[in-house]
């Protein structure tokens, strides 16, 4: 019997343990484990480090390991590409670290009424950004949301091909591919290397009676705002296909909501909305659509709705369209759901409630102004070509270093010496863009930060 | 709000004295001699008491004396009594009362009895109005009965309060009692009543979700159709579960009988055992069969056309069992039953078999030959 | 000894909280956004004016406009109307392993808030070390050879397993033939749903009515040259351990299939029995269950998926590797299934779980397992003493870390069923319990899991509350059937409207459209 009394295990007190065993008429817990046949028992000892029993020792140890990291508060960061550095208002952290929300799980909407309401409000506010009446509970990430959206489109249309713009995040594409693989065929649509926009001719050539949907991102992975969105949606609809749009919610204070230009389903990531980067652990996807039964019926995620309780005037909540899913007769396979990212959904709601329409508008415009300013300054550095793509960009943009004769990887390595995380290297996944990098600028960047980048690049490229 | 209420007061009397039902006046006489006490009235009262919250709003239309009036009064209601008072009542009284209630337009017909009573109700009203059975008889093969008297009351209460809107078709089955007493069971499927259906309204917050019965049957039908092979004869057994297969193929369906199809076309409708046998020679054949009623029979109840001879000729490996998951679960672990009258054929079925439960789902389930 | 106390006078906060939109006053601000410097604005010019008209938002999104204090107060109210596991005697959510989520781990995880996942590996050595070490811990605990920490939750890990099984059979040219996955009805529904999503047909084994686990003969009848894999939980959600599990594995292996062990129920098994000894090819852990990281109202979590060597080539990219004293992310894995989640998983969860294991060590983990099964057996004895409770299957055999009970008897006797008791238990300051996944094979089910977090007094209190409610069901069934009375909200009046397209309201804008025309 262990002599250590563990703070997280009240019944590790030896006397209590003995008392409980006695009441069960047992000598040791081994008598319970007799359920497991001897040959299936693990006989060895797990080779794990010696425990750090006190909280102090543990803290010292973990802090020591993590101190090896450099963070984006110490370094000036220009990386985006799927996780973005935005300012997280303190209230967001206050709420999502409350033990009530942090440690709740699947309780019903009576003792967990607040959880349901917070999620309903998150969905409502994201719906306002997108111009849609239905928003899913959060999925694992944007890739999952996009993959689900495509599977939904396939079930709705009874078709099995999805056209995807090539300006999608390569990582996200891998996630989508693994999710839709058994049922759907994905085909790329080219983009115009001058503008960064979808190549409409290629799109028209590829769309067919098998096309369930076209999927594009706005802004794209490369930062371009897809100004042909209305045309793309119209072409899709004329061919009986749906229009799916991946949107960055931080852009929607200034950019048109996807519903306004013909999107049937929108998806994207909540991480920009008050959620720390967390080394990529801040991702949380959303799916949204019009409030039509044929769409709602195909959501694989939970959906939470407002409903009256037996008390006059009291708001209650519950799970919507309980029998939806498993429309096996049409798509011959079922999606799945499970624990995804509810806490980030609640956080995104807090963020939008704090920001309001004015905050989101200022956020969007301020980002675009900083980006425009940065591009103008970067242009002045010899050998740098920027912007590479001519269409307007939102918070990310491509910078071409071809003429500098230096590789992005080397430039970024040298920028580290200036305590700067340079843009994401695009040269492997987008070779057609040459020796380019994707830079991200948000509201966290001051004028001085931008100058620091430009100065450092001048030195590195000199 | 109007509730029709009929009690078959002698239902269940045969059970405790080992008489397997009370169809026929002589049997009833013997039951009484053997000291049988009426069971149904007590059970009917138990169910009706659940409706107490509706006392002020509900008009109960019922029959005189023990056929409903006495029970309603005992449960604290003031019923409207129809029909003549008489000492001995029989099936014809049940049927007449049910017809009368149909004409009156009652919202729900609640009746207490057994399989015989359900048949009488079915004869009178068919699918024209909702009905629900309070189980009180010896033989309960029919699926129109609630699990126990109180739950009949609860479902009726919810239905009358508008909390339950779904109706489902539930089987009315009956056994020939005379044959039953001699050890032979020949249950017939007589038809379907419209029964209020209490779907689980539980808010399931974790990943588990059930599809609705209808969606499930739809998916099962798709699977069966996708599996269909060229030039193979398909014997489609009776029941609502097999109906979507015929519907999806745009073929006329015999709900209570057996149909034959090949290459997605109808070969023959409502065939007898002999007719089936005539089609089998030199023909590769598969049987699509479902669980009939609440007791888990796949052969021998309600589908006697699919006889031991037919099964032998088709071969066990060519039998496809279909059922929704809910139906399987409602068997509570009891095996699926086969009672063809041929011990050898029955014994062949003592095994685990696949049951198609959705488009891409099957269940391994125990089958037992009687 | 701590007091056994039924919280008779409990009442949850009930704020009658408006929807956030109802708190809105035009012009109010919750937080101000850092605006660009004047020079930046001037140089940038009219950035919005450069957008084509159709891309520029015409109307501001109708978000609420609320001052900061009122946003904070609103969400604090909502938090008080939520019963987190750290607050209550949460034995309730069986199969979920609601253990204590230590505050220190939250503090430590906050240290990685500001790491970008695409940072140079040199600048993330600490985090990568924790990934590497945590993977090593899981290998020890399971006997598997490699893990991916990328999946975001349990079901996601199971889907990843299904994807790997696909890739394995595809690599051998047998995918078309091997299109059936076998599972059991008491395994988690995702063991059926995720292989189905991955394109497999599902064969479900039904339990033997005596033992509660499927018969080996049923499996033998189910396997064939079409078998791709079995996905199985053990102990199943009933708490019953399948003693023939190695024979199950062998049967499937002999038929050419792979064996995936769903270890969502691993808490009683740490240091006791491992996937490897039973012969499995793969297994997964719910890191947010077994390793104590918080559930977050349903995520973010992590599903760690482990495989034996012969499947490691198919793992998602990147894996975390160590060479020459440096940790790095390895994307160069030609046979990979690709990715299942952006970047490399939910890093804060890994930091928390790593910290939890570091505090316990091998002895501590075993103590976790032993106390969880001891707690469960002690608790089961108390619960089974309550008239109206039954336990299905396997009479006389001990359950491991949880039990699926039934209120069938109580329901027959009083008309009060498991949903009513579930609603009522909230009135005593205890989270609504978990009934069962569908279908309800055990009638009127409830599933309780008193993991190592709970004290003897917690166990006795919980049982006393159940006994009290059962008594209430006999004395005053209406009290229970109309519960909850003391939770943040009362029972839904018309749940069927949530299924009605005309009436459901998933967002405030939909609600206003449908109800406030």
């Amino acid at each position: 019997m262990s002599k250590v009394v563990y703070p997280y295990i009240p019944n590790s007190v030896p006397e209590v343990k003995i008392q409980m065993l006695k009441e069960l008429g047992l000598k040791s817990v081994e008598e319970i484990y007799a359920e497991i046949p001897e040959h299936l028992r693990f006989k060895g000892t797990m080779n794990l480090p010696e425990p750090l029993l006190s909280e102090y020792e543990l803290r010292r140890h973990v802090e020591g390991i993590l101190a090896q990291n450099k963070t984006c508060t110490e370094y000036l960061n220009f990386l985006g590409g799927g996780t973005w550095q935005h300012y997280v208002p303190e209230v967001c952290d206050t709420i999502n670290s409350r033990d009530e929300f942090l440690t709740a799980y699947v309780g019903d909407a009576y003792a967990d009424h607040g959880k349901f309401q917070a999620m309903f409000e998150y969905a409502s506010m994201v719906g306002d950004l997108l111009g849609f009446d239905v928003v899913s509970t959060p999925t694992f990430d944007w890739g999952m949301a996009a993959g689900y959206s495509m599977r939904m489109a396939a079930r709705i249309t009874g078709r099995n091909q999805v056209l995807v713009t090539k300006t999608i995040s390569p990582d996200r594409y891998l996630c989508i591919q693994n999710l839709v693989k058994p049922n759907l065929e994905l085909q790329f649509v080219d983009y115009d290397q001058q503008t960064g926009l979808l190549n409409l001719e290629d799109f028209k050539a590829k769309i067919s009676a098998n096309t369930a949907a076209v999927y594009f991102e706005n802004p794209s992975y490369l930062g371009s705002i897809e100004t042909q969105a209305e045309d793309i949606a119209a072409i899709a609809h004329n061919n009986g296909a749906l229009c799916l749009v991946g949107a960055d919610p931080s852009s929607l204070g200034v950019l048109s909501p996807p519903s306004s230009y013909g999107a049937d389903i929108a998806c994207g990531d909540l991480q920009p909305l008050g959620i720390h980067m967390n080394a990529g652990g801040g991702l949380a996807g959303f799916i949204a659509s019009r409030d039509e039964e044929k769409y709602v019926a195909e959501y694989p995620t939970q959906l939470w709705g407002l409903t009256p309780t037996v008390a006059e005037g009291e708001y209650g909540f519950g799970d919507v369209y309980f029998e939806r899913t498993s429309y096996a007769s049409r798509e011959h396979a079922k999606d799945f759901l499970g624990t995804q990212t509810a806490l980030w959904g609640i956080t995104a709601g807090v963020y939008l409630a704090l920001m309001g329409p004015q905050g989101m508008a200022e956020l969007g415009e301020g980002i675009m102004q900083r980006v425009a300013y940065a591009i103008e300054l970067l242009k002045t550095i010899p050998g740098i070509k920027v912007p590479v793509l001519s269409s307007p960009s939102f918070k990310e943009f491509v910078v071409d270093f071809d003429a500098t004769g230096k590789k992005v990887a080397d430039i970024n390595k040298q920028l580290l010496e200036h305590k700067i995380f340079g843009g994401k290297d695009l040269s492997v996944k987008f070779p057609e863009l040459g020796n380019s990098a994707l830079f991200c600028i948000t509201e966290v960047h001051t004028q001085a930060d931008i100058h620091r980048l430009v100065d450092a690049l001048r030195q590195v490229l000199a | 709000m109007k509730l029709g209420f009929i009690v078959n007061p002698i239902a269940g009397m045969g059970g405790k004295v080992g008489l397997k039902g009370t169809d026929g006046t002589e049997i009833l006489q013997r039951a009484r001699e053997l000291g049988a006490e009426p069971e149904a009235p007590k059970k009917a009262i138990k169910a009706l008491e659940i409706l107490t919250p509706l006392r002020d709003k509900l008009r109960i239309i019922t029959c005189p004396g023990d056929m409903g009036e006495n029970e309603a009064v005992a449960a604290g209601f003031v019923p409207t009594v129809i029909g003549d008072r008489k000492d001995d009542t029989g099936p014809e009284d049940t049927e007449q009362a049910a017809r009368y209630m149909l004409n009156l337009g009652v919202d729900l017909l609640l009746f207490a009895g057994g399989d015989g009573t359900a048949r009488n109700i079915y004869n009178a009203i068919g699918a024209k109005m909702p009905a629900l059975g309070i189980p009180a008889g010896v033989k309960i093969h029919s699926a129109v009965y609630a699990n126990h008297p109180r739950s009949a009351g609860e479902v009726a209460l919810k239905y009358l309060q508008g909390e339950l809107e779904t109706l489902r078709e539930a089987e009315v089955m009956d056994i020939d009692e005379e044959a039953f007493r001699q050890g032979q069971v020949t249950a017939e499927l007589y038809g379907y009543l419209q029964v209020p259906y209490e779907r689980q309204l539980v808010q399931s917050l974790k990943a588990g979700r059930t599809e609705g019965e209808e969606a499930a049957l739809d998916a099962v039908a798709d699977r069966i159709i996708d599996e269909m092979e060229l030039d193979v004869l398909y014997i489609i057994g009776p029941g609502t579960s097999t109906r979507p297969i015929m519907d999806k193929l745009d073929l006329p369906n015999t709900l209570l009988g057996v149909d034959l199809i090949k290459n997605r076309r109808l070969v023959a409708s409502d065939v007898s055992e002999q007719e089936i046998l005539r089609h089998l020679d030199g023909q590769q054949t598969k049987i699509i069969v479902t669980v009939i009623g609440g007791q888990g029979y796949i052969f021998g109840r309600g589908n006697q056309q699919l006889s031991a001879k037919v099964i032998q000729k088709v071969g066990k490996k060519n039998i496809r069992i279909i059922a929704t998951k809910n139906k399987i679960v409602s068997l509570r672990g009891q095996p699926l039953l086969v009672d063809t009258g041929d011990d050898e054929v029955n014994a062949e079925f003592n095994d685990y078999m696949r049951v198609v439960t959705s488009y891409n789902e099957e269940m391994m389930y125990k089958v037992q030959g009687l | 000894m701590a007091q056994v106390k039924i919280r008779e006078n409990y009442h949850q906060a009930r704020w009658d909280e408006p929807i956030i939109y109802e708190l809105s006053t035009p012009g109010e601000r919750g937080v101000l956004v850092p605006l660009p410097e004047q020079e930046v604005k001037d140089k940038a010019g009219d950035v919005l004016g450069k957008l084509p008209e159709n891309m520029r938002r015409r109307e501001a999104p109708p978000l609420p406009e609320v001052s900061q204090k009122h946003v904070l107060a609103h969400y604090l109210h909502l938090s008080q109307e939520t019963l987190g596991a750290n607050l209550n005697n949460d034995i309730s959510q069986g199969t979920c392993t609601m253990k204590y989520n230590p505050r220190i781990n939250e503090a430590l995880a906050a240290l990685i808030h500001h790491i970008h996942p695409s940072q140079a590996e040199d600048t993330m050595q600490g985090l990568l070390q924790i990934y590497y070490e945590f993977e090593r811990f899981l290998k020890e605990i399971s006997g598997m050879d490699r893990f991916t920490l990328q999946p975001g939750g349990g079901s996601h890990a199971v889907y990843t397993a299904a994807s790997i099984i696909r890739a394995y059979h595809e690599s051998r040219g047998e995918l078309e033939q091997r299109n059936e996955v076998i599972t059991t009805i008491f395994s988690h529904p995702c063991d059926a749903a995720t292989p189905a999503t991955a394109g497999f047909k599902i064969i479900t084994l039904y339990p033997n009515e005596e033992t509660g686990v499927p018969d080996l003969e049923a499996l033998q009848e189910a396997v064939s040259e079409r078998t791709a894999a079995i996905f199985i939980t053990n102990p199943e959600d009933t708490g019953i351990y399948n003693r023939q599990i190695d024979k199950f594995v062998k049967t499937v292996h002999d038929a050419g299939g792979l064996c995936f062990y769903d270890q969502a129920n691993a808490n009683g098994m740490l240091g006791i029995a491992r996937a490897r000894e039973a012969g499995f090819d793969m297994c997964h852990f719910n890191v947010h269950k077994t390793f104590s990281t918080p559930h977050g109202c349903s995520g973010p979590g992590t599903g760690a998926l482990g495989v034996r060597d012969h499947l490691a080539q198919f793992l998602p990219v990147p894996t975390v590797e160590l060479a020459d004293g440096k940790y790095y992310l390895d994307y160069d894995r030609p046979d990979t299934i690709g990715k299942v989640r952006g970047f490399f998983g939910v890093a804060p969860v890994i930091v928390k779980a790593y910290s939890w294991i570091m505090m316990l060590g091998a002895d501590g983990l075993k103590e976790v397992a032993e106390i969880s099964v001891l707690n469960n057996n002690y608790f089961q004895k108390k619960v089974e003493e309550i008239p109206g409770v039954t336990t299905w299957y396997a009479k006389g055999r001990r359950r491991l870390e949880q039990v699926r009970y039934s209120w069938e008897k109580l329901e027959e006797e009083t008309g009060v069923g498991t949903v009513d008791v579930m609603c009522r238990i909230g009135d005593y300051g205890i989270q609504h319990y978990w009934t069962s996944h569908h279908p309800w094979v055990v009638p009127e089910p409830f599933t309780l899991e008193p993991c190592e977090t709970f004290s003897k007094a917690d166990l006795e209190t919980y049982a006393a509350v159940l006994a009290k409610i059962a008594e209430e069901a006999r004395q005053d069934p209406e009290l229970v059937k109309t519960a909850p009375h003391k939770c943040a909200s009362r029972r839904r009046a018309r749940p069927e409207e949530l299924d009605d397209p005309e009436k459901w309201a998933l967002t405030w804008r939909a609600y206003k459209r449908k109800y406030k025309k």
Side-chain angles (χ1 to χ4, degrees), chain B residues 37-316:
Chain B
E37 290 275 335
E39 292 282 323
K42 281 186 241 161
K43 292 179 173 167
I45 293 167
K46 215 172 194 178
L48 211 53
E49 277 171 348
I50 307 283
L51 298 177
T52 306
L54 296 178
R55 198 183 337 226
D56 300 333
K57 290 184 247 170
L58 192 64
R59 204 175 129 213
I60 294 186
I61 320 285
T62 189
C63 309
D66 276 350
M67 273 189 75
E69 181 188 10
N70 295 348
E71 291 85 349
V73 170
F77 288 87
V78 185
T80 306
V81 181
I82 53 166
D84 303 327
R85 259 163 228 285
K86 47 189 204 178
D87 288 338
D88 269 325
T89 56
E92 62 289 350
D93 299 295
T94 303
E95 291 192 17
Q96 201 184 349
R99 263 192 294 273
Y100 193 81
M101 288 167 188
L102 178 64
N103 291 337
L104 266 181
V106 298
D107 295 286
L108 175 71
L109 172 54
L110 189 63
F111 61 93
D115 282 336
T117 318
R119 253 176 83 184
N120 299 142
I121 301 287
Y122 170 71
N123 290 342
I125 67 167
K128 292 186 201 122
M129 69 185 217
L132 176 65
I134 304 164
V138 179
K139 300 167 292 159
I140 304 277
H141 291 87
S142 301
V144 299
Y145 287 98
N147 286 338
H148 45 85
R150 210 199 49 255
S151 69
E154 278 167 1
V155 171
L157 178 68
K158 283 188 185 163
Y159 183 74
L160 292 169
Q161 285 176 329
E163 288 169 30
L164 288 181
E165 287 171 8
T166 322
L167 295 173
R168 73 180 164 102
E169 291 171 309
E171 292 113 330
V172 174
M173 295 176 72
D174 199 7
I175 286 176
D176 180 331
E177 282 186 13
E178 194 41 50
F180 188 32
R181 284 186 202 99
Q182 328 222 318
Q184 298 163 8
V185 185
T186 51
E188 296 279 331
L189 175 58
Y190 282 91
Y192 291 84
L193 283 178
Q194 297 283 327
V195 172
Y197 172 49
E198 186 174 29
R199 188 161 54 91
Q200 294 281 3
L201 274 178
V202 186
Q203 296 275 313
S204 175
L205 297 177
K206 283 185 71 185
R209 285 177 190 281
T210 41
E211 53 195 350
E213 288 289 290
E214 224 170 287
L217 284 176
D218 235 42
V220 167
D222 278 336
R223 167 71 171 261
I224 294 298
I225 290 169
D226 278 11
E227 281 180 0
M228 282 188 175
E229 293 166 41
L230 208 63
D231 297 332
V232 172
L233 181 73
Y234 287 87
I235 302 178
I236 310 290
T240 49
S241 300
T242 52
R243 181 169 53 191
I245 301 172
M246 300 299 277
D247 287 352
K248 276 171 188 273
L249 293 172
D250 239 341
L251 299 175
N253 175 53
T254 312
L255 189 58
L256 307 181
V258 173
D259 298 322
L260 304 181
I261 58 179
K262 189 165 151 181
N263 296 331
R264 302 185 172 215
R265 284 200 203 94
L266 191 70
V267 173
S269 271
D270 199 7
V271 286
S272 66
E273 181 203 7
Q274 289 310 313
E275 286 171 273
I276 298 171
L277 288 172
R278 271 205 296 280
H279 282 94
L280 292 186
D281 277 330
Q283 168 67 55
Q284 205 198 333
T285 307
K286 288 182 196 272
I287 296 176
I288 312 294
V289 72
T290 186
V291 182
I292 298 269
Q295 307 202 332
Y297 283 94
I298 49 172
F299 290 110
R301 299 287 184 280
N303 59 3
Q304 281 83 355
Q305 304 94 317
L306 305 174
S307 65
K309 255 190 208 159
V310 171
I311 292 167
Q312 258 172 331
K313 276 210 148 180
V314 174
K316 184 182 153 222

Side-chain angles (χ1 to χ4, degrees), chain B residues 148 150-151 154 162-163 165 199-210 223 316 325-326 328-330 332-335 351-354 359-366, chain C residues 94-96 180 185 188-189 196 200-206 208-209 215 217-218 221-222 226 289 392 408 411-413 415 419 434 437-441 443 481 492 498-499:
Chain B
H148 45 85
R150 210 199 49 255
S151 69
E154 278 167 1
E163 288 169 30
E165 287 171 8
R199 188 161 54 91
Q200 294 281 3
L201 274 178
V202 186
Q203 296 275 313
S204 175
L205 297 177
K206 283 185 71 185
R209 285 177 190 281
T210 41
R223 167 71 171 261
K316 184 182 153 222
K325 240 184 257 171
N326 286 341
I328 295 292
V329 167
S330 71
R332 303 175 58 123
Q334 297 293 327
D351 201 353
Y352 293 87
M353 287 180 75
R354 290 181 179 217
Y359 181 79
N360 53 19
E361 289 184 34
E362 292 168 88
M363 199 181 274
M364 297 303 299
Y365 202 80
K366 209 178 219 169
Chain C
T95 76
C96 303
E180 291 183 351
I185 208 159
H188 190 278
F200 293 105
K201 295 189 188 309
I202 307 302
I203 318 296
T204 304
L205 304 180
Y206 202 88
N208 177 297
E209 55 178 311
D215 292 332
E217 294 74 32
E221 189 61 34
R226 284 175 291 162
K289 294 179 178 173
W392 275 43
E408 187 185 29
E411 203 272 341
E412 276 172 13
E413 188 189 335
V419 172
W434 171 237
H437 295 292
H438 283 280
W440 281 5
V441 177
K481 289 182 136 188
R492 287 176 281 269
L498 291 165
D499 287 350

Side-chain angles (χ1 to χ4, degrees), chain C residues 138-279:
Chain C
L138 295 183
K139 291 194 283 196
E140 284 295 318
I141 292 167
S142 64
M144 295 290 109
D145 298 315
R146 282 311 300 263
F147 269 82
T148 176
L149 308 178
Q150 198 174 105
S155 307
H156 204 197
V158 183
Y159 179 71
T160 307
S163 303
I164 288 175
I165 287 164
R166 242 185 101 78
Y168 171 82
H169 289 305
E170 202 167 22
S171 74
R172 298 159 61 95
E174 292 188 351
L175 183 60
E176 273 194 33
Q177 170 201 327
R178 295 194 178 273
N179 63 358
E180 291 183 351
V181 164
I182 299 166
T183 185
T184 76
I185 208 159
F186 287 132
S187 293
H188 190 278
C190 75
D191 290 319
T194 60
T197 303
F200 293 105
K201 295 189 188 309
I202 307 302
I203 318 296
T204 304
L205 304 180
Y206 202 88
N208 177 297
E209 55 178 311
E210 312 256 293
T211 64
V213 293
D215 292 332
L216 185 59
E217 294 74 32
L219 176 67
Q220 285 161 344
E221 189 61 34
V223 294
S224 69
E225 71 290 345
R226 284 175 291 162
T227 304
I230 188 169
F231 282 52
I232 193 166
T233 312
N234 194 31
E236 294 197 293
D237 284 357
T238 50
I240 301 168
Y241 186 86
N242 181 344
R243 296 168 60 91
Q244 292 187 301
I245 195 67
D246 53 332
K247 298 198 178 73
F248 273 57
V249 167
K250 186 172 184 301
T251 302
V252 173
H253 279 164
D254 287 349
L258 293 171
C259 298
F260 168 73
Y261 187 0
D262 178 330
Q263 290 219 267
N265 300 341
N267 205 44
M269 309 294 279
L270 303 171
I272 302 295
R274 311 191 305 174
R276 186 187 190 99
E277 280 69 26

Side-chain angles (χ1 to χ4, degrees), chain A residues 23 35 61 99 128 334, chain C residues 21 103 197 268 354 382 397:
Chain A
E23 196 156 330
E35 277 298 316
H61 167 78
D99 286 64
D128 283 344
K334 241 195 259 194
Chain C
Y21 292 86
R103 290 309 310 183
T197 303
Y354 170 86
K382 302 282 165 198
R397 279 191 47 199

Side-chain angles (χ1 to χ4, degrees), chain A residues 11-30:
Chain A
N11 291 343
S12 60
V13 173
E15 292 73 21
V16 175
K17 218 166 147 179
I18 290 167
Q19 207 183 328
M20 289 172 70
L21 282 168
K22 203 172 147 196
E23 196 156 330
L24 288 171
L26 301 175
K27 288 200 179 62
S28 89
V29 181
E30 275 303 314

